[in-house]
Amino acid sequence: MFEKHLIDELINFHHHSFTIINKNEEIIYFSKRAEEIFNMQSKEIKGLKISDVFHKDKLVILQSLRNKRIIEKKGHQATPEIFVDIKSVPLIINGQVEGAVVSEVDVTEEVRQKEEIKKLQTQVETLSTSVKKIHSEDPFKSIVYKSAQIEGVKNQIRQAAKTKANILITGETGVGKELFARAVHDLAFKDKPFIPINCGAIPSHLFESELFGYAKGAFTGANKQGNKGKIEAARGGTLLLDEIGEMPIDMQVKFLRVLQEKHYFKLGSTVEEAADFRLVSATNRKIADLLAGDDFRSDLLYRINVINIHIPPLRERPDDVESLFFYYLLQISQKYDIEMRYADRQLVNLLKEYHWPGNVRELINIVERLVIFSGGSHLDPDIFLKYLDEVDEARPHTYPNLDGDTALKGFIEQAESEYLSHMLDKFGSNIEQTAKALSISRPTLYSKIKKYNL
């Protein structure tokens, strides 16, 4: 009796977790600290197979027993809230393995501190990168990326900027076509005017005066001094015609003449003006669609599409999602004077798996929501999941892989098995928490774990 009491006191003296199993892989000892970490009572699991209590793939003690070797692991996540350093040792008596013992030392605080340090390092690195770009002379300072695709686009732009050839930038809405147009300009005409005009935002009856300008007295209500058009404003620099596919058909003829003859007339004027600008156009429409339709002249398209630069959508470059996310997380946190919160890997992975139909513009929207509505020190992934519901985007869901001969009962059992496995992983094989989440008793959960060999 004295010896048993002494062993209990010695094992629990340093407040470490200890679990001991025999050669039949049955639990014969479960320390007080183990009870606290895993939220289980020794009397409830003593005598059970350890693989009936914990997920067998995560049981270091079984590896020690079966392979007759000492195993150590640092920073192992024992439960969703607790991290431990593990050491597992086989118990060998007279050359025979009679059991194994595993010890867990709680290092949660140390791991949390490392996470905070990593978080601060990420913030500092992101901030440093942003500051360098703001003060940099790099024409691509506004383009945040990591992917090889965008590096290829940059190389195209560098080559194109050496010429005066007309450039057409294509890409879906929200990919940032104007940023790339600005990079073209900064490489060639940094100190010259950069004049953007959105062809889809100007009423057709005002388009000519907006582009060419007008002479004084050109029409009723006109500025008495006349007005300088975008072509004149862009003299010596770059004219960006964004969404050029929306240019009115009658204006296409007139603008084509400007490109061919390098001259134009202001509205209401008989004085010929010289056109001197580098043309960069942009559209979210496919070139094949422009050619196939009746609302855009093919001769104008051939003129503006001397060099085509295509910006790939965000879904094709998931690495850029992460870079852009942290960049805008910093920018928007500063905008609202909110301390930059920690983004865990779960959230980042969710963002990288999403297909981003609105591209970078949509990503900025999401970051803004996360910054504004997250509480505490972490960004809340549920905010993003609620957004998916809002825009009617289905959350990821997979069904079990079944062959055509699988009966309904088999389907249900396979689905239950996979869901139980998912929930056990989610709660770190904690039986009590998993059973509570599933609204079933512990014995029922043990029975199902054994049934499906989980």
Side-chain angles (χ1 to χ4, degrees), residues 277-311:
F277 59 85
R278 165 70 171 277
L279 177 65
V280 179
S281 307
T283 181
N284 60 9
R285 296 169 64 180
K286 295 179 180 178
I287 293 175
D289 292 342
L290 289 173
L291 287 170
D294 297 327
D295 58 350
F296 201 84
R297 294 179 60 94
S298 59
D299 49 0
L300 176 58
L301 180 60
Y302 297 137
R303 178 70 67 169
I304 66 174
N305 189 34
V306 177
I307 295 175
N308 176 243
I309 295 174
H310 180 69
I311 314 302

Side-chain angles (χ1 to χ4, degrees), residues 81-141:
E81 297 83 23
I82 297 176
F83 292 84
V84 294
D85 284 348
I86 296 176
K87 183 173 183 179
S88 184
V89 180
L91 301 175
I92 301 175
I93 302 174
N94 298 325
Q96 299 295 317
V97 178
E98 299 295 336
V101 58
V102 63
S103 170
E104 291 106 354
V105 180
D106 191 335
V107 292
T108 304
E109 187 60 31
E110 180 183 335
V111 171
R112 297 297 184 208
Q113 287 177 358
K114 288 180 179 179
E115 284 182 354
E116 288 303 312
I117 291 171
K118 185 177 180 181
K119 169 187 169 183
L120 290 173
Q121 287 175 336
T122 301
Q123 291 180 16
V124 171
E125 289 169 5
T126 306
L127 177 60
S128 175
T129 301
S130 298
V131 171
K132 286 178 183 177
K133 287 190 172 185
I134 290 170
H135 298 290
S136 170
E137 296 299 317
D138 182 4
F140 300 98
K141 60 180 178 291

Side-chain angles (χ1 to χ4, degrees), residues 7-66:
I7 291 171
D8 282 344
E9 289 300 320
L10 288 173
I11 285 178
N12 292 290
F13 188 79
H14 292 292
H15 204 54
H16 292 177
S17 163
F18 283 92
T19 303
I20 303 174
I21 60 174
N22 60 24
K23 62 182 178 181
N24 297 320
E25 302 179 359
E26 298 165 340
I27 299 171
I28 60 173
Y29 194 89
F30 202 62
S31 72
K32 292 177 182 177
R33 182 55 183 151
E35 290 180 331
E36 292 172 1
I37 290 177
F38 297 103
N39 199 19
M40 297 180 193
Q41 295 297 311
S42 174
K43 61 184 179 182
E44 294 179 351
I45 62 172
K46 198 171 180 180
L48 294 176
K49 288 263 191 182
I50 194 164
S51 57
D52 288 341
V53 179
F54 298 100
H55 198 288
K56 61 183 178 182
D57 292 339
K58 298 183 178 181
L59 286 172
V60 175
I61 192 171
L62 280 186
Q63 298 174 35
S64 285
L65 180 73
R66 294 170 180 176

